[in-house]
Amino acid sequence: MQITVVSGSHRKKSQSRKIADVIRCRLAENQSVTKSEVIDLSVIELPLWEEAIWENDPTWIARLSSVSKVLEESDGFVIVSPEWHGMVPSALKNFFLMWGKGQLAHKPALIVSISSSNGGSYPVAELRMSSYKNNRICYIPEHLIIRNVGSIFNKDSQENDAETQRHLTERMLYCIQLLICYAEGFKRIRQNKATDISTFQFGM
């Protein structure tokens, strides 16, 4: 099974990438996961969506092909989003516009929202409300909110709040195991012809 983690911040050396790396390591420890990797939106730096994507523009095909391959081969996703001004970052929303031809369709995803303070709930609501319509990604009911992210999951343990990190580590492992269960189930769902999106490419 392949699970891909998307780090949704376009800030270099972000807290989102820090958490994405922690999650990837936890995934790698699970015997059910044969491959896991991080797609970092601060690295691939996708331009804004434009209609040329729909027209099989060769520049866009070249730009998206490597990421498309990873997404197509993935059985599930972890979407890590910081909260910027109460919103999901523009790079992450732009990401969801790029792949509407089945690469994400009928595959489960875990939302992980992070906040430098006590926020973090708005990205969960926003992603559940408006990021799935045409790409058909399927968010599982559980999600994870990591608040005061600067004080946990740091390489220097002296910088961490030990009790909070213990609790969130347990919760993270619970969420990952649940995601894996959904990913196993969704493999069977995708084998059904009812999941074909060619007739109705766009959601309502």
Side-chain angles (χ1 to χ4, degrees):
M1 177 185 299
Q2 179 170 332
I3 305 292
T4 297
V5 184
V6 178
S7 177
S9 174
H10 39 101
R11 176 182 292 165
K12 304 295 184 183
K13 298 181 180 179
S14 68
Q15 294 289 331
S16 296
R17 180 58 196 258
K18 180 184 79 173
I19 297 302
D21 286 336
V22 170
I23 293 171
R24 190 202 64 77
C25 289
R26 298 294 182 269
L27 286 165
E29 294 167 356
N30 192 294
Q31 293 182 348
S32 298
V33 180
T34 56
K35 185 176 181 181
S36 59
E37 62 181 278
V38 175
I39 294 175
D40 188 340
L41 298 188
S42 74
V43 174
I44 62 173
E45 296 181 341
L46 292 170
L48 292 177
W49 180 93
E50 60 183 23
E51 288 184 346
I53 295 176
W54 287 351
E55 298 163 358
N56 294 319
D57 178 81
T59 300
W60 274 105
I61 290 174
R63 186 178 285 150
L64 301 179
S65 60
S66 61
V67 178
S68 293
K69 185 175 186 297
V70 173
L71 299 178
E72 288 168 359
E73 294 175 350
S74 297
D75 298 297
F77 306 98
V78 180
I79 308 298
V80 181
S81 175
E83 182 177 272
W84 289 2
H85 297 269
M87 296 182 288
V88 171
S90 56
L92 184 53
K93 296 303 288 284
N94 188 53
F95 170 86
F96 286 112
L97 297 176
M98 300 291 174
W99 286 281
K101 294 184 178 180
Q103 299 92 338
L104 307 176
H106 308 296
K107 297 179 181 181
L110 168 68
I111 295 173
V112 178
S113 175
I114 67 172
S115 172
S116 60
S117 58
N118 290 318
S121 60
Y122 286 108
V124 177
E126 184 177 349
L127 287 169
R128 290 191 185 282
M129 180 178 68
S130 66
S131 64
Y132 68 91
K133 185 175 85 73
N134 290 345
N135 58 60
R136 266 83 168 200
I137 197 170
C138 296
Y139 293 118
I140 67 173
E142 193 70 28
H143 57 257
L144 185 64
I145 300 177
I146 300 178
R147 298 184 169 98
N148 299 302
V149 68
S151 64
I152 48 178
F153 295 112
N154 297 300
K155 291 182 179 179
D156 185 349
S157 60
Q158 293 185 345
E159 298 177 0
N160 296 329
D161 181 317
E163 179 59 25
T164 300
Q165 180 152 327
R166 182 197 61 76
H167 167 72
L168 285 174
T169 297
E170 292 177 358
R171 190 80 188 219
M172 181 183 291
L173 292 173
Y174 165 76
C175 289
I176 286 172
Q177 190 58 53
L178 189 61
L179 174 65
I180 290 169
C181 289
Y182 273 88
E184 290 286 1
F186 270 73
K187 284 182 180 181
R188 294 191 292 273
I189 291 173
R190 289 195 300 278
Q191 292 171 357
N192 193 301
K193 292 181 180 179
T195 60
D196 178 57
I197 65 171
S198 59
T199 302
F200 299 105
Q201 182 179 351
F202 307 112
M204 292 184 70

